[in-house]
Amino acid sequence: MIDLRSDTVTRPTPEMRRAMADADVGDDVFGEDPTVRRLEEETAALLGMEAALYVPSGHMSNQIAVYLGAGSGDEVWTHELFHVVANEQGGTSVLARVLPRTFDAPDGVPAQGLLERWAAGTDDVHRARPALICLENTFTGRVVPLAEQRRVADFAHAHGMRAHLDGARLWNAAVALGVPPAEVAAGMDTVSVCFSKGLGAPVGSALAGDAATIARARRARKLLGGGMRQAGIIAAGALYALRHHVDRLADDHARAARLAAAVDALPGLAAEARTNMVIVTAPEGRAADLAAALRANGVGCTALGPERLRLVVHLGVSDADVDDAAARTAKAAAAL
Ligand SMILES: Cc1ncc(COP(=O)(O)O)c(C=O)c1O
């Protein structure tokens, strides 16, 4: 099977495995794992933040950010499809006990008018206190323009709120825009990044922010049972990925563009490449049928709704795989 379900399915490369086998380790709950420390320092530096914390998953990173960024009963504003509210089991209501207030916007960014409406009348005794705005970049593979992201962060700060960026694929955004990762993180109070997606590491994410916030995040990670001991073994994979696999994301983007062009040329299908994701639109309501036909032809994909599905290009996908996937998609489409 050509597995295009997600960029989370990658396996560590031989060089990455060697770095993991050779890693210096210590007890990270005691702050004594040199590899974890190095990963945290290099991540923070790349993001232009004071500090970063290695955590087992992007899910935990987002949940800690909400837990620290808003108090019990506070409003947290997010797109209805952002991972933090749509794919984390309602964790923000269980752990931080906040009130998610969700918007819809095709590009993932709330309009200025909506922000102003929601910020009005917050001294009303009936209202929950707005505390945090969440953004996601990339958002279903789409790069969120940095000026738009900045507008929302500035609005949050002007209204006494904080801003969190789920940058699970921030590296893809930075490469697509041709800017350093710190530019994508600029203006945010906390940023979550993943090593286990496009970068191809086996485990882990990081939450970055100012030193005081990350010190609190370290306590929150322990509260959630996320303190890890000789975590340098897995951090070494993440560190290898951070040092060697960021620039190569441009190859994934180019392959996604080539696959999208081939699929878009098929009768009845439309496709567009967004960074490393190909978003395919099937004939009305047929995305599930197309997904099943793709699987039957050996192409793993993920349905996004009744009309759309995604094919994700990653470290484990070669030029030949792209050609093969395009040919198999043509067969699947013909069988619809
Ligand atoms: C945008 C986004 N945020 C967060 C996550 C969570 O990451 P993890 O799978 O490491 O928990 C994902 C996972 O796919 C994601 O796509």
Side-chain angles (χ1 to χ4, degrees), residues 25 28 36 44 47 53 74 83 86 104 107 109 113 141 143 145 147 179-180 209-210 224 238 265 270 299 312 315 327:
V25 297
D28 183 52
V36 172
L47 295 173
L53 179 75
D74 286 348
H83 201 277
D104 186 16
D107 55 359
V109 190
V143 177
V179 302
D210 65 76
L224 296 174
V299 178
V312 185
L315 184 63

Side-chain angles (χ1 to χ4, degrees), residues 6 8 56-60 62 83-84 88 136 138 166 168-169 194 196-197 204-205 310:
S6 175
T8 57
S57 66
H59 179 143
M60 185 184 284
N62 277 338
H83 201 277
V84 66
E88 297 181 11
E136 202 175 284
T138 62
D166 179 350
R169 297 181 179 84
C194 291
S196 58
K197 301 198 165 61
S205 295
R310 75 175 192 192

Side-chain angles (χ1 to χ4, degrees), residues 131-155:
L132 180 69
I133 306 182
C134 296
L135 291 176
E136 202 175 284
N137 200 358
T138 62
F139 170 55
T140 43
R142 180 177 274 149
V143 177
V144 176
L146 300 187
E148 281 291 272
Q149 202 176 274
R150 195 57 187 245
R151 167 176 67 76
V152 176
D154 288 348
F155 184 92

